[in-house]
Amino acid sequence: MRSSTDSPVLALSRHCAHNLLAVSALSWIAGAFFTWEVNDTLPHRTAVLLVIPALLALILVAAQLWRRFRPLAVIPFFFLVGLFQVFLALHPLDDPTRIEHHVTAKTKATVVGTILTMPEWNGDTSRLLVECESLLVAVHDQPMSFQSVRGKVLLTVGNRLPPHFQAGRRIMASAVMDRIHSYRTPGAFDYRLQMATKEIACSGWVSSSAAMEIVTEAPDPPFMNTLLHDLRFAPEQMRQHIADFVDKTLEPEAAGLYKALLIGSLVNIPPETLEGFKASGCFHLLAISGLHFSLLGLFSLAVMRVVLKQSQWLLLHTHVPTLALLLTAPILLLYAFIAGMNLPALRALIMALLVLVAVLSRRQRSFLPLIAAAALLILVTNPLALFTASFQLSFAAVLAINLLYPRLPHLQEQAENQSPWRHLVGRGWRIGQSMLLVSLAATAGTLPILLYHFNRVSLVGPIMNLLIEPLLCLWALPAGLIAFALLWWAPDLAAISLHCGAVGMETALWLINALQSLPFLSLWTITPSWLEIGLYLLIIWLLISRPAPLPGHLPLASALALLLAGLFTSGLWTPPSREDASVHFLDVGQGTSTLLLLPGGKTILIDGGGHQSNRFDIGESLIAPYLWHLRLWQLDDVIITHPHGDHYNGLLFIFKHFRPQRLIVNGDEGEETAYRDLLAAVRQIDVPIHTATTGTVLYKNNGVEVKSLGMSGFPEVDQGSVNDRSLVVMLKNGEHTFLFPGDIGAPSERILLDSAQELRSEVLLAPHHGSRGSVTPEFIRAVDPGLIMVSSGRQRQGVLPAPDHLRQWHEQKILTLLTSQHGTTTCTSNGKQLHLKSFNGTCAIWNGKRRKFEETKCTLKGGKKHSMLSDP
């Protein structure tokens, strides 16, 4: 008999035995997240010292479990594997041949390597991935020679590449090289992480194709080398051929969508079309998914079975359905390579292959083990994929659908003795219900992940998926796959098939565009907390578990739902209770944006500009995610110091989604049409515009004052430059003062000094990004700052801030932080104590007696929490 103390352990052991793959995957994920937390909170060496004994302890635990409860041993084993793999991914072993060891900063270099992917032209630039083999970096006063290197480089070329630049060709390119970098702003997209999952550590800018040339191969290479080379790059060359054919056959917009469906290339889809798909909740349909592989697999399987059944010998000596399944696998593998072998394509391929294995082994109804096996295979081969939104969304949707699948209406038995007509109508109704439920399940399963990563969810997603998915995936995609099969021997028929499929594509586009004008198409929200995500998952578990997990589970779920709604929306109806003032200097690249969070809940955003393009909005991509990360729903005031794009060009999105109570400007219309368009848009959404002049008090309450010191109101600057007419804003909180002087130069600095205003401040935002023509020594002496923050981008390093300024500030022992290096930096003041903490983990405390900031150890988690990879 089992003892009472043993029974729970034995029950757990039996449960693990029945769900071995799922338990293994969860254990791996637990180890991976543990590593991330250790990596985030502890220095590298300390983490190593802690991980080693932890590994030994877990090995001993696994050995003990193996003796008595073997299924339980997978838990510590896979926990160890996940821990160790992610630790190595975050802290790779030192390899001097890696290209990132040769490219440590922005530099000119000549790279020789092989093109790995088809070049993609987006209308402005071409992009291609190159596997490097040698690199020549110009180093001052050192002999120049090519060094053997390893690693991938993402090259961007300033024009369209000629056709002979294709996958498999060796090239030499002269480029401006740099390591891959992300904006160091919490809440923003981690580009470095995305590139790390593709093993890309460096990028390069090539001015034009004239700076590139094909490198002649060695004469008469061995036949086997040539064969392996051709086989390796054949999928990418086929991908290029398909892209060229689609471009020649269809109109640009339809061609861009078809290339997304067939080969996973999104670069030729217009930004407004992408926005329409995102707002309607259908963006995932443009990514290579399991549906693509399912359709291709079913089509290939049907053709294989018909062909194989023509052979009487095969019918007598083999099992034709099994053989057809085996022959389908290489076709799916080839399509995955043609689709770019990105994370969604890899996941879909693994799932499809595992389904084939399950069918061959007669276990095709065991979906959960298949999902767990697919996740484990991806994570073991690409550990950092776990932390990407793509991986999380893919598997969350699949898991949610798997939980619902057994209860779908179309799987339920129909009533007998029905007429054929009623039977057909009933079946169609149940299929429609099932499709809607699947869409709802996928939306519910991915909701917390969407809000955590993107702060956005479509309110019409489930309905729009019912309309758009058949048009794209059951009409346009099959026609495209047929065209893909016909392309190589009947291109005219392939073109006809593409044109037929384009009708479904155009219908989908018409529906998407028709919805664009509707209000509340999608909802933008704050970033949910881990408590809120946990409550949401608990509510879902209470609602879907059968049998009911707890008595009274429905009232409990309802109460938890009310609690969750109250927590999540509390910022809309409860004023925030802040006792401290905090100033946040955002890393927005070459631009400026500063957030003031004041006691009593007052929120002020000073400027909001940076790099802007038709595919990148600094407000949507950086400023808004940071505000949502801080759980801000609204802003009180927005201040634009002067009408230059690097100070305002991200603010239109902010005005639309944060509805400030007023906009404060300097009254200068400026020289840029975009600024006047912004003011017109602000008036259209009924936000009052106020002009601040010298002495205007913008906010005052309980010892906190925000005041304009100029420059509007000084007649001397009326004929000066736009920069010299910037608003100069000062924040006082108790004993501490912060100065934000916009882009004023030396002339305006002298005017401020002559005005006899009190300028002394503990923290100074460097005027005009620290340029040579500003931040004069006289101005610094008057301000006497303990910290100079410089808001500038990496692309202007060595120019902004001026090297002479940096040297002088260093000699004066003034703490100087650059957003391009230290990332978003927060200064927190309670009126008596002043602390700062930067994204990269720099912390300091103000010493009022010495008027200096003294660096300290961070007692709380540093900024690295929001960057999966430590900076090089």
Side-chain angles (χ1 to χ4, degrees):
M1 293 180 62
R2 297 191 305 266
S3 68
S4 60
T5 56
D6 285 341
S7 56
V9 180
L10 289 173
L12 180 61
S13 180
R14 287 195 299 271
H15 184 75
C16 287
H18 293 148
N19 300 277
L20 204 58
L21 282 171
V23 171
S24 301
L26 288 174
S27 301
W28 193 102
I29 292 171
F33 274 109
F34 173 80
T35 303
W36 165 234
E37 289 301 319
V38 172
N39 177 73
D40 179 38
T41 56
L42 298 175
H44 185 192
R45 292 182 180 178
T46 306
V48 172
L49 293 176
L50 289 178
V51 165
I52 291 176
L55 290 175
L56 296 175
L58 285 171
I59 290 172
L60 292 175
V61 171
Q64 291 298 319
L65 289 173
W66 182 257
R67 294 178 182 178
R68 297 187 60 191
F69 309 106
R70 292 191 177 187
L72 291 179
V74 303
I75 297 176
F77 175 77
F78 279 96
F79 184 91
L80 277 171
V81 174
L83 182 151
F84 189 65
Q85 281 196 287
V86 174
F87 187 83
L88 284 180
L90 295 174
H91 303 283
L93 299 176
D94 191 29
D95 182 357
T97 65
R98 295 290 302 177
I99 189 170
E100 55 265 33
H101 288 278
H102 297 263
V103 180
T104 57
K106 192 174 183 180
T107 183
K108 292 183 179 180
T110 301
V111 61
V112 177
T114 303
I115 301 176
L116 294 177
T117 59
M118 74 170 194
E120 293 183 304
W121 166 251
N122 64 9
D124 297 317
T125 58
S126 298
R127 300 186 78 184
L128 64 158
L129 189 62
V130 174
E131 178 70 48
C132 296
E133 59 184 64
S134 59
L135 185 73
L136 175 65
V137 178
V139 181
H140 183 64
D141 293 335
Q142 291 188 17
M144 297 172 57
S145 63
F146 277 95
Q147 302 290 323
S148 295
V149 296
R150 297 189 305 112
K152 299 175 183 177
V153 173
L154 184 63
L155 292 182
T156 302
V157 188
N159 62 351
R160 188 163 193 166
L161 289 175
H164 56 273
F165 286 97
Q166 56 182 265
R169 303 300 297 268
R170 290 180 70 239
I171 63 166
M172 177 184 291
S174 176
V176 177
M177 305 275 292
D178 200 357
R179 289 184 174 181
I180 297 288
H181 294 280
S182 291
Y183 288 97
R184 296 170 172 88
T185 300
F189 176 67
D190 195 336
Y191 182 63
R192 281 190 65 204
L193 173 62
Q194 183 193 42
M195 292 294 101
T197 61
K198 302 176 183 180
E199 299 180 336
I200 303 172
C202 295
S203 62
W205 165 256
V206 183
S207 58
S208 74
S209 57
M212 302 172 61
E213 63 179 31
I214 301 294
V215 178
T216 306
E217 300 285 349
D220 300 325
F223 171 76
M224 186 55 66
N225 290 355
T226 302
L227 178 61
L228 293 176
H229 179 276
D230 292 343
L231 289 175
R232 178 187 178 189
F233 294 103
E236 279 296 325
Q237 292 172 0
M238 293 170 64
R239 192 168 176 240
Q240 181 72 69
H241 186 54
I242 295 168
D244 293 340
F245 182 79
V246 172
D247 283 333
K248 293 176 183 177
T249 305
L250 300 176
E251 293 298 319
E253 190 168 26
L257 286 173
Y258 241 132
K259 286 192 287 187
L261 282 177
L262 288 176
I263 61 175
S265 174
L266 297 170
V267 299
N268 296 125
I269 301 178
E272 57 273 13
T273 302
L274 285 176
E275 171 59 26
F277 274 90
K278 292 176 182 177
S280 61
C282 298
F283 181 72
H284 64 282
L285 299 178
L286 299 179
I288 301 295
S289 68
L291 185 58
H292 296 67
F293 283 84
S294 299
L295 290 173
L296 180 60
L298 290 172
F299 176 76
S300 302
L301 186 60
V303 172
M304 290 291 181
R305 292 185 67 171
V306 170
V307 172
L308 295 176
K309 284 182 178 179
Q310 305 305 311
S311 170
Q312 186 175 4
W313 186 91
L314 290 175
L315 289 171
L316 292 174
H317 294 85
T318 65
H319 186 249
V320 168
T322 299
L323 183 59
L325 282 171
L326 291 173
L327 293 176
T328 299
I331 296 175
L332 295 176
L333 183 62
L334 176 62
Y335 179 62
F337 278 107
I338 293 173
M341 196 54 90
N342 51 31
L343 190 58
L346 180 61
R347 177 191 60 80
L349 170 67
I350 292 175
M351 286 292 293
L353 294 177
L354 288 174
V355 168
L356 290 180
V357 173
V359 171
L360 290 175
S361 60
R362 306 296 190 267
R363 298 185 62 182
Q364 60 267 34
R365 292 191 179 273
S366 304
F367 290 113
L368 186 59
L370 294 179
I371 297 169
L376 204 53
L377 282 172
I378 291 175
L379 293 175
V380 168
T381 56
N382 193 347
L384 293 181
L386 174 65
F387 307 103
T388 63
S390 174
F391 177 90
Q392 295 170 12
L393 289 170
S394 295
F395 280 93
V398 172
L399 283 170
I401 294 171
N402 176 70
L403 291 173
L404 180 68
Y405 183 78
R407 302 175 207 152
L408 291 179
H410 82 280
L411 297 178
Q412 310 305 318
E413 295 183 2
Q414 291 183 257
E416 298 181 359
N417 302 323
Q418 286 185 338
S419 65
W421 172 251
R422 290 177 64 87
H423 177 85
L424 183 62
V425 172
R427 182 170 179 79
W429 173 247
R430 280 188 293 275
I431 290 174
Q433 285 180 302
S434 298
M435 292 176 64
L436 179 59
L437 288 173
V438 165
S439 184
L440 288 170
T443 301
T446 57
L447 179 61
I449 300 173
L450 282 170
L451 296 185
Y452 186 83
H453 287 286
F454 305 111
N455 302 100
R456 187 181 193 182
V457 63
S458 172
L459 300 180
V460 296
I463 301 298
M464 286 302 297
N465 274 278
L466 284 181
L467 299 174
I468 302 297
E469 190 163 357
L471 292 170
L472 292 184
C473 299
L474 301 180
W475 183 345
L477 178 59
L481 293 175
I482 291 171
F484 169 69
L486 295 173
L487 173 61
W488 315 103
W489 55 277
D492 292 338
L493 293 177
I496 293 172
S497 183
L498 276 183
H499 281 294
C500 291
V503 176
M505 194 87 68
E506 290 164 0
T507 306
L509 279 174
W510 180 84
L511 286 172
I512 293 289
N513 293 331
L515 280 176
Q516 290 284 67
S517 59
L518 295 179
F520 307 112
L521 194 60
S522 61
L523 179 67
W524 298 84
T525 77
I526 60 172
T527 303
S529 67
W530 286 109
L531 172 61
E532 291 161 350
I533 293 174
L535 280 174
Y536 177 84
L537 296 177
L538 177 58
I539 293 167
I540 295 296
W541 177 70
L542 289 172
L543 292 176
I544 68 173
S545 292
R546 294 293 183 274
L550 296 171
H553 66 287
L554 289 179
L556 177 59
S558 300
L560 291 175
L562 288 174
L563 175 62
L564 174 59
L567 289 173
F568 191 65
T569 62
S570 60
L572 288 171
W573 45 271
T574 302
S577 55
R578 300 189 200 101
E579 297 180 357
D580 299 340
S582 60
V583 179
H584 306 249
F585 301 95
L586 278 65
D587 174 21
V588 290
Q590 187 53 47
T592 296
S593 187
T594 307
L595 175 67
L596 312 184
L597 301 182
L598 305 180
K602 183 75 172 182
T603 55
I604 302 175
L605 182 68
I606 302 177
D607 290 329
H611 170 70
Q612 193 90 351
S613 70
N614 62 347
R615 292 180 178 269
F616 183 84
D617 185 297
I618 198 75
E620 179 180 351
S621 300
L622 288 179
I623 302 173
Y626 184 67
L627 299 180
W628 285 320
H629 167 78
L630 296 178
R631 298 176 67 80
L632 295 178
W633 290 93
Q634 295 173 318
L635 291 172
D636 293 316
D637 294 339
V638 171
I639 300 173
I640 300 178
T641 57
H642 65 291
H644 273 166
D646 61 338
H647 287 251
Y648 71 79
N649 58 17
L651 291 178
L652 180 59
F653 186 89
I654 300 301
F655 277 102
K656 288 181 177 179
H657 297 281
F658 290 87
R659 300 287 175 166
Q661 295 179 10
R662 61 177 178 170
L663 168 62
I664 299 168
V665 298
N666 67 348
D668 188 350
E669 288 291 327
E671 305 164 347
E672 301 176 2
T673 303
Y675 181 68
R676 292 189 286 272
D677 292 342
L678 173 65
L679 295 182
V682 169
R683 294 187 183 99
Q684 190 172 5
I685 58 179
D686 295 326
V687 175
I689 301 177
H690 296 263
T691 300
T693 60
T694 302
T696 301
V697 176
L698 305 176
Y699 175 75
K700 188 172 185 178
N701 185 36
N702 293 332
V704 179
E705 182 182 67
V706 181
K707 182 180 179 181
S708 168
L709 304 185
M711 296 303 297
S712 177
F714 287 110
E716 300 94 323
V717 301
D718 290 344
Q719 302 304 317
S721 68
V722 173
N723 286 333
D724 277 320
R725 297 195 294 270
S726 298
L727 280 179
V728 178
V729 179
M730 176 177 280
L731 163 65
K732 289 185 178 181
N733 181 50
E735 300 174 1
H736 304 134
T737 305
F738 303 79
L739 187 60
F740 314 99
D743 274 359
I744 64 170
S748 288
E749 291 176 4
R750 285 193 295 271
I751 293 171
L752 281 176
L753 294 173
D754 294 339
S755 69
Q757 296 186 85
E758 178 59 48
L759 299 177
R760 200 178 201 202
S761 303
E762 283 71 31
V763 178
L764 169 68
L765 177 62
H768 202 191
H769 318 280
S771 69
R772 185 181 298 275
S774 62
V775 209
T776 59
E778 296 79 11
F779 187 72
I780 291 295
R781 281 196 296 271
V783 177
D784 190 21
L787 167 68
I788 297 178
M789 281 299 310
V790 182
S791 184
S792 61
R794 291 186 55 82
Q795 66 272 29
R796 300 299 303 277
Q797 280 188 344
V799 178
L800 296 176
D804 290 343
H805 288 339
L806 284 177
R807 187 183 65 255
Q808 292 169 7
W809 301 338
H810 179 72
E811 291 172 354
Q812 298 172 46
K813 295 182 169 49
I814 301 173
L815 179 63
T816 304
L817 301 182
L818 282 62
T819 56
S820 60
Q821 295 179 5
H822 298 84
T824 294
T825 299
T826 302
C827 296
T828 305
S829 164
N830 63 4
K832 295 183 179 297
Q833 294 180 324
L834 178 59
H835 302 263
L836 74 82
K837 181 172 67 175
S838 71
F839 183 89
N840 74 342
T842 299
C843 293
I845 188 170
W846 173 249
N847 186 324
K849 293 181 179 179
R850 300 181 58 199
R851 286 199 60 80
K852 299 291 182 185
F853 271 98
E854 299 173 347
E855 293 197 43
T856 64
K857 292 184 178 180
C858 290
T859 56
L860 300 176
K861 287 187 177 183
K864 290 182 182 177
K865 178 176 175 58
H866 308 285
S867 179
M868 298 302 303
L869 302 174
S870 57
D871 287 326

